[in-house]
Amino acid sequence: MASPLLKESATKLKKAIPLMLKHQIPTTPTNYALWYAYVGENSPSLNQHLDKVVSQYNTCPPSQSERLYQEFLSDPVELDLVDMRQNLDAMVTELSQSIKDTNLDATQFQSKIDNNYNRLNKIENDGFTIEEVLTVVKNLVKDSNEIRISAKHFSEQLAKAQSEIDSLKHQLKQSEHEMLFDALTHSLNRRAFNNDLKAIIEQQPQGLCLIIADIDHFKAFNDTYGHQLGDQVLKAVSKRLEESCQDGTKLYRFGGEEFALIVPKSEIRRARHLAESMRRSLEKLLLKDKRKGTTINNINASFGVAEYKLNDSDSALIERADKQLYEAKRLGRNRVMPL
């Protein structure tokens, strides 16, 4: 007969799998765990966030799945971090052995205690001599000291292992973050973009639009003000574009001074309107060069917009957005194409 826990697990899986199929969620361990937790309804906040993502995309892109998994399920996703995982496994094994050793010591100690107490109970009946009573008491003290030492050793091992595990978890979390986010601008990176765009095209591409933005004359910022200020321009542009994202639109650093925006469940007219509002917002950016005491107020960007077409590949969609971007550059920059 199946245990209650096994029955509960089977019931949750029967609920989770149809939902994953409905939203075309890939059957990866991370997604299984995420949707298993979702149908379990133990975390209202997780369900609320996941419902919002699905409403925006009609699916859950890989970067969103990983973010929700890390935030709500705590355990790290399966990344190529073998050394840290081996260290964690080794510590778990060591802790497990320590627990077994301590349990064995405790069992043996209990047996000794029981034996000594039995002997103490016989003192009145059997008329133990004072020497025999002292022997029983000495044995009790000796055995108590042994279990105390064993317990102290285990406690020290546990504290040390917990400290190392916390450190490794922090490193894992940091590594996972670095795999998805750009170190300079803190926006999602090209790797996340490639995964998300491919997943959405394969799962729910209807109405998908892509915007590619390129900062105009960025080389001139570096040449005139230096790379340090050029980095400030990149961060300021990223922040301003991020502030304009809504309804599931996600910003990615595409490379260099280029940014990409995935706009789900939209259309070319609405995506172009979004790009235009972003372009105007960037025109209002002001940066101060503290070293030279000057103000930079000529930050502009060109935008290319493309909409998904039937049987489009991710590369085909990117290519069309790129062509529109280059056309915007050709026509004088600081504009959105197509008109």
Side-chain angles (χ1 to χ4, degrees):
M1 180 180 294
S3 68
L5 183 60
L6 188 59
K7 287 182 178 179
E8 181 185 356
S9 299
T11 300
K12 288 183 180 179
L13 280 175
K14 286 179 181 178
K15 291 180 181 179
I17 292 174
L19 279 175
M20 294 174 70
L21 292 173
K22 176 184 176 182
H23 299 302
Q24 300 185 43
I25 307 296
T27 53
T28 64
T30 295
N31 287 333
Y32 269 130
L34 195 61
W35 287 89
Y36 184 91
Y38 177 86
V39 299
E41 298 182 342
N42 293 322
S43 173
S45 185
L46 165 62
N47 286 29
Q48 182 181 358
H49 280 77
L50 193 50
D51 285 339
K52 182 178 179 181
V53 171
V54 171
S55 72
Q56 293 170 337
Y57 293 91
N58 286 334
T59 186
C60 188
S63 68
Q64 299 300 308
S65 293
E66 292 183 6
R67 179 181 63 82
L68 291 174
Y69 184 86
Q70 292 170 29
E71 182 174 352
F72 292 100
L73 302 187
S74 296
D75 293 335
V77 293
E78 295 300 325
L79 301 173
D80 187 18
L81 302 168
V82 177
D83 288 341
M84 279 188 278
R85 290 205 173 280
Q86 287 178 340
N87 287 337
L88 281 171
D89 290 342
M91 276 188 289
V92 169
T93 301
E94 184 178 345
L95 276 177
S96 177
Q97 186 59 49
S98 294
I99 291 171
K100 289 179 182 178
D101 292 343
T102 303
N103 285 338
L104 179 60
D105 289 343
T107 302
Q108 292 174 346
F109 173 70
Q110 186 63 49
S111 177
K112 291 178 180 179
I113 291 293
D114 291 341
N115 183 52
N116 285 321
Y117 273 114
N118 287 334
R119 295 180 67 187
L120 283 173
N121 288 332
K122 293 179 181 180
I123 288 176
E124 291 184 4
N125 299 329
D126 297 347
F128 275 26
T129 65
I130 190 67
E131 288 81 9
E132 289 174 320
V133 172
L134 286 174
T135 299
V136 172
V137 173
K138 286 179 181 178
N139 286 338
L140 279 171
V141 172
K142 177 176 175 292
D143 294 340
S144 297
N145 190 51
E146 287 177 358
I147 195 64
R148 183 185 64 80
I149 293 172
S150 175
K152 181 182 178 183
H153 176 66
F154 175 67
S155 179
E156 290 172 349
Q157 283 186 305
L158 190 61
K160 179 183 177 183
Q162 186 61 56
S163 175
E164 292 179 7
I165 287 172
D166 289 344
S167 176
L168 285 169
K169 280 186 175 180
H170 175 74
Q171 292 177 50
L172 280 168
K173 192 170 184 179
Q174 184 65 30
S175 297
E176 290 160 4
H177 186 276
E178 290 171 357
M179 292 190 73
L180 291 175
F181 291 88
D182 176 61
L184 176 64
T185 63
H186 303 297
S187 60
L188 289 161
N189 60 21
R190 181 64 178 268
R191 176 189 178 121
F193 170 80
N194 291 339
N195 290 339
D196 286 354
L197 184 62
K198 185 175 181 180
I200 294 171
I201 286 177
E202 290 176 351
Q203 296 160 28
Q204 293 291 347
Q206 292 76 18
L208 170 66
C209 289
L210 175 63
I211 302 172
I212 298 181
D214 184 272
I215 301 173
D216 294 329
H217 304 294
F218 182 72
K219 185 176 182 297
F221 287 115
N222 283 333
D223 292 344
T224 304
Y225 303 103
H227 288 278
Q228 192 170 17
L229 196 88
D231 288 347
Q232 294 302 314
V233 170
L234 285 169
K235 289 193 280 189
V237 168
S238 175
K239 183 179 179 182
R240 184 59 60 92
L241 293 176
E242 185 75 54
E243 290 170 348
S244 300
C245 290
Q246 56 187 352
D247 299 327
T249 297
K250 291 295 179 185
L251 173 71
Y252 306 80
R253 187 177 180 190
F254 196 63
E257 63 269 28
E258 281 191 322
F259 294 87
L261 296 108
I262 293 178
V263 189
K265 298 171 64 176
S266 185
E267 59 183 22
I268 189 73
R269 179 183 58 82
R270 290 169 59 191
R272 193 199 173 284
H273 178 75
L274 173 61
E276 179 61 26
S277 67
M278 288 179 169
R279 185 193 68 78
R280 292 181 179 181
S281 179
L282 291 179
E283 283 184 325
K284 299 174 184 177
L285 266 179
L286 294 175
L287 285 179
K288 289 186 178 180
D289 183 356
K290 295 180 180 179
R291 294 173 302 173
K292 297 182 179 179
T294 57
T295 299
I296 301 172
N297 59 357
N298 59 333
I299 301 173
N300 302 313
S302 300
F303 294 78
V305 186
E307 184 176 8
Y308 172 83
K309 294 181 179 179
L310 187 62
N311 297 324
D312 253 351
S313 64
D314 50 348
S315 58
L317 182 59
I318 293 171
E319 184 179 356
R320 287 208 309 281
D322 255 336
K323 284 183 178 178
Q324 294 296 338
L325 172 63
Y326 288 130
E327 183 66 6
K329 294 282 189 182
R330 188 186 69 82
L331 292 174
R333 297 179 170 81
N334 192 24
R335 65 188 66 223
V336 177
M337 291 297 292
L339 296 173

